[in-house]
Amino acid sequence: MTGTGICTGRVAAVTGAGRGLGRAHALALAAEGAAVVVNDLGVAADGAGASPGPAQQVADEIRARGGRAVAHTGDITTTDGAASLVAAALDTFGRLDALVNNAGFLRDRMLVNLDEDDWDAVIRVHLKGHFLPLRHAAAHWRAEAKAGRTPDARIVNTSSGAGLLGSVGQGNYAAAKAGIIGLTLVAAAELARYGVQINALAPAARTRMTERTFAGTMAKPAAGEFDAMAPENVSPLVVWLSSADSAGVTGRVFEAEAGRITVMEGWRPGPTADRKSRWTPAEAGRTARDLLAAAGTPQPVYGAR
């Protein structure tokens, strides 16, 4: 493996690492010296089926390049699967320093056509699939800190522009990705005392999940041109956030695509009125309109006309 060695000696677990962004992250972490637990259930784009092939192929690719890796095919949306992910790192490499939560799939529908199973499946994989690995990794790091071995640990969660702005036809996905941002902020506040930093990423890249949704903008460029939508463009920030070099950075949300990195700034108080007593409905309405007139215009939901 070649690189600067920014993650030398560290062990990282990456969920959904068999394809797309997760695969790019796993390879980039390994190239920078990390040993990698490559997790992937091997499902189809809509979450159906399972295969050990994708995770094993990426682990084999890392080893073929001179790195260290082990495949993990457990279901990280279950307690046993998430616990076994952490155990795989500890049993194989003796430690865990970074967790990259990336696993997910899509079941897109307009809200009036979105059935309960499609809602539950997407919330389970994206949101619960972030919470359970985070919870089990955090329990390990808390135990280490209480034993006097305070870790220098990192978690990188994967949100989306859909979670920041919303996306037409993706109510389940947008809700899950917005929930991941909330989870990130709470985890960063709760786990700082144990030596754990947690940040979230909203990436844009060409993957199985985006090829159909954004088919017109995801085409590969001509040979020799910069591939702006390559998943590998996102991975350098993931590697840095997983490294000890990112000390002091926690509870933040970044957008990353092509050659652009943006620090996203969330909800902040805007125009305010306080009459120090209760409003009538009509007064509240007039005041709300005045405040809205003084406020900035929100960015449009993806796909809205």
Side-chain angles (χ1 to χ4, degrees):
M1 310 293 286
T2 59
T4 63
I6 193 174
C7 286
T8 297
R10 293 175 71 79
V11 175
V14 184
T15 70
R19 303 180 179 92
L21 282 165
R23 174 182 177 274
H25 300 340
L27 291 172
L29 284 160
E32 294 295 340
V36 184
V37 180
V38 180
N39 164 266
D40 203 287
L41 198 55
V43 300
D46 64 353
S51 168
Q56 191 61 57
Q57 289 169 9
V58 174
D60 289 345
E61 186 173 355
I62 289 172
R63 288 194 291 266
R65 297 182 182 186
R68 297 186 298 156
V70 62
H72 177 269
T73 57
D75 183 353
I76 46 82
T77 70
T78 68
T79 294
D80 289 347
S84 70
L85 176 69
V86 175
L90 300 179
D91 293 346
T92 307
F93 303 116
R95 60 186 297 128
L96 177 64
D97 301 284
L99 168 65
V100 180
N101 283 316
N102 170 78
F105 62 74
L106 294 177
R107 292 189 183 178
D108 292 351
R109 301 282 191 281
M110 301 298 281
L111 288 172
V112 295
N113 296 320
L114 184 64
D115 64 36
E116 187 175 0
D117 288 344
D118 290 336
W119 174 272
D120 288 346
V122 169
I123 296 295
R124 174 179 57 83
V125 172
H126 286 274
L127 190 50
K128 190 176 181 182
H130 271 62
F131 161 66
L132 284 176
L134 183 156
R135 183 249 183 266
H136 285 281
H140 164 68
W141 288 323
R142 181 182 63 177
E144 288 291 285
K146 288 186 173 182
R149 299 183 296 271
T150 301
D152 193 9
R154 306 287 187 267
I155 297 176
V156 181
N157 290 331
T158 305
S159 183
S160 167
L164 297 169
L165 300 176
S167 180
V168 171
Q170 295 187 305
N172 49 359
Y173 177 73
K177 291 304 192 184
I180 287 168
I181 293 173
L183 175 64
T184 299
L185 301 180
V186 172
E190 291 186 357
L191 301 179
R193 72 189 71 178
Y194 304 122
V196 186
Q197 296 182 184
I198 303 97
N199 296 284
L201 186 70
R206 185 191 312 105
T207 69
R208 288 194 306 170
M209 288 174 53
T210 59
E211 281 180 335
R212 289 182 298 174
T213 306
F214 305 108
T217 60
M218 291 288 174
K220 291 184 179 181
E225 295 182 1
F226 176 51
D227 187 354
M229 301 313 298
E232 291 77 9
N233 298 332
V234 177
S235 298
L237 180 58
V238 173
V239 172
W240 183 77
L241 289 171
S242 300
S243 76
D245 281 18
S246 62
V249 179
T250 193
R252 306 306 294 261
V253 180
F254 297 85
E255 273 195 337
E257 70 171 288
R260 179 173 62 84
I261 295 172
T262 303
V263 176
M264 303 303 292
E265 297 182 336
W267 295 106
R268 297 174 181 271
T272 302
D274 184 357
R275 64 174 296 170
K276 305 298 184 182
S277 63
R278 185 177 301 149
W279 305 90
T280 68
E283 290 169 339
R286 287 194 297 270
T287 302
R289 288 192 179 279
D290 289 342
L291 295 175
L292 288 169
T297 302
Q299 294 190 47
V301 172
Y302 287 111
R305 296 181 179 178

